Amino acid sequence: MIKVRPRSLQWVLVRRLILLQAATLFVFIGLLFLGVFIAQPRLLVDNEAALDVLDRAVGRDANGVLAVHETEDLRELRQSYPNLWYIVRDAAGQVVRYGNVPAPYEEAGGDLLQRVEGAKLLFEEGGTLPDAVLHNVETEAGRVQILAATVSSRRDNEPLDVQISINVDMARDLDGRTAWMEVMPTLVLVVLCFLLPIVLVMGVSTLLTTPAVVRRSLASLVSTADQAGRIDIDNRAVQLETEEVPTEIAPLVRAFNRALARLGEGYDQRNRFLTDAAHELRTPIAILRTRAELLQEDPETTRLRLDIERLSHLAQQLLDRQVLEHAGGPLEVVDLVSLGRVMAADFAPLAFEAGYELAFEAEAPGALVSARPRQIEQAVANLLRNAIEHGGGAGTITVLVDAAGGLEIHDEGPGIPVEERDRVFEPFYRLRPRSTGAGLGLNLAREIARLHDGRIDILTGPWRGTRVRLHLPLIDGSRPAAAPARPIV
């Protein structure tokens, strides 16, 4: 099965924005070409505007002489361009001149200029002669040639004259129609060459700006994610903040908060049920114990009493486990050396009765920790009961306190297989199904250690049996190395 990699939001946005910009640009250019194709606009500027006005003004007088009529458009053109000049010739050689015509333009055009529809006349760069336009057109006076310009010299222009000229001449068939099959590939190539640089510039700008914009826009999500990462079973009532979260993400955060609330409510209901069940079990267990004491002594009665004790111990552990959920009260200074010595003395009779010897060792005169004494005593008691239960009924059980804040319980029993060392801390899990334990002792001890910022480890080494280490941070803040002297699994 191929694992799907999560997608990066910022790179998804970058790719989609670039594609959207490119598509928008292509659509815009396509619509522009379509509009030009349908409307067939005629763009007129200066000289071309003069030609258009003169085309409509050329005619003949009553005697058939070539003339340029004084139209309203021509008057406005002269007012707009005081330096306007033009030459109008007909096929018979009649000429109408107006304005200060530069000398080179006075020369008659050749046959070629008579045949072309229009032309633009330019002189070398740096000269003073102005650009002009020539047009051979059918008018009321017949076919005439108009040569015109709006200035008589380049000095008549503004200090800076910018002209942009785009000429598109497409191949045509013999009947004059555009040969689109030949034109389209070249036209598409021209459009691509024009658009690709724009798309590249837009893509690079998007690539540079979008990640920064996305990171800035989603900065509030980072703090929200950090807040969510700190939620655990002890502070499950925490709600994620939604004030700074983007509007699009806010519904997800609110749904997450509602899910947390439902989980917390369900967890509390379960805890209340277990607590009530543990309390309710104590009364019938006490009644059973009393009645069992009245039975005659025989093997069946002894087994019944052991089962009742096991049931009583299970109910008490369930109650203790639920009490930890509401653990509170001030922390006290606890000397692990003194606590370990007292617990060893208290459990010595039980160990002797089960066939063990019990020893106490301390590597330092004292090891001070900040803890709730009753809970630490309960954790150590569970570890000792577990050693007595599973230590094989022989050998020595040792309580060892080191100077690094660790309290170890050693036995010389069969030990815990490596593959089972994580599971033994699970609630109700028993290494040997037919054992008398309830499967809550190690789980309860681990929870107590966690509530005190400590841990419980099962040590591994060449020795026989099991060694369990309860570690709590010392009051002076000193901690053991990341890996204790004995390797830990």
Side-chain angles (χ1 to χ4, degrees), residues 134-379:
L134 182 144
H135 196 191
N136 291 303
V137 63
E138 294 291 338
T139 65
E140 295 179 358
R143 184 174 178 82
V144 299
Q145 182 185 86
I146 302 174
L147 179 63
T150 55
V151 295
S152 58
S153 171
R154 290 182 179 175
R155 289 190 299 269
D156 298 330
N157 286 334
E158 297 296 330
L160 179 64
D161 186 17
V162 178
Q163 295 185 7
I164 299 176
S165 179
I166 300 177
N167 296 320
V168 179
D169 191 9
M170 295 182 288
R172 299 178 184 275
D173 297 329
L174 294 177
D175 57 0
R177 291 181 299 179
T178 301
W180 289 109
M181 295 301 295
E182 299 179 12
V183 170
M184 284 305 298
T186 305
L187 186 61
V188 170
L189 181 61
V190 171
V191 172
L192 288 177
C193 293
F194 175 73
L195 292 182
L196 281 180
I198 301 177
V199 173
L200 289 177
V201 172
M202 295 171 63
V204 171
S205 62
T206 302
L207 185 65
L208 295 177
T209 58
T210 301
V213 172
V214 172
R215 285 195 298 269
R216 185 177 181 86
S217 301
L218 301 182
S220 58
L221 285 182
V222 176
S223 60
T224 303
D226 292 339
Q227 185 182 6
R230 293 191 295 270
I231 296 176
D232 56 24
I233 200 65
D234 295 324
N235 59 351
R236 55 188 178 275
V238 174
Q239 296 284 288
L240 300 181
E241 298 178 359
T242 58
E243 289 77 7
E244 301 297 331
V245 175
T247 306
E248 294 80 4
I249 308 297
L252 176 62
V253 176
R254 287 193 289 268
F256 184 78
N257 286 336
R258 291 193 293 269
L260 284 178
R262 291 193 298 270
L263 288 174
E265 182 179 354
Y267 192 84
D268 292 338
Q269 290 177 352
R270 189 207 67 168
N271 285 347
R272 287 194 295 270
F273 170 78
L274 291 177
T275 302
D276 294 342
H279 275 293
E280 292 297 326
L281 283 174
R282 298 177 72 180
T283 300
I285 290 173
I287 296 173
L288 286 174
R289 181 185 292 112
T290 302
R291 292 179 178 176
E293 294 295 334
L294 300 177
L295 297 177
Q296 295 180 355
E297 294 294 336
D298 55 40
E300 291 298 328
T301 301
T302 302
R303 282 195 293 270
L304 177 61
R305 290 172 181 172
L306 289 176
D307 291 339
I308 293 173
E309 289 300 324
R310 177 185 172 188
L311 185 60
S312 176
H313 183 59
L314 173 60
Q316 184 60 44
Q317 284 189 325
L318 283 173
L319 189 58
D320 293 340
R321 180 66 177 80
Q322 298 310 116
V323 169
L324 285 180
E325 298 294 332
H326 309 283
L331 297 174
E332 302 178 17
V333 176
V334 177
D335 183 5
L336 288 181
V337 174
S338 299
L339 184 143
R341 182 180 293 110
V342 171
M343 295 300 296
D346 290 344
F347 274 81
L350 294 177
F352 296 154
E353 183 180 357
Y356 302 95
E357 295 182 1
L358 194 143
F360 174 78
E361 299 178 8
E363 296 181 354
L368 302 181
V369 297
S370 180
R372 299 176 182 89
R374 294 294 299 275
Q375 292 182 358
I376 300 302
E377 290 175 0
Q378 185 179 7

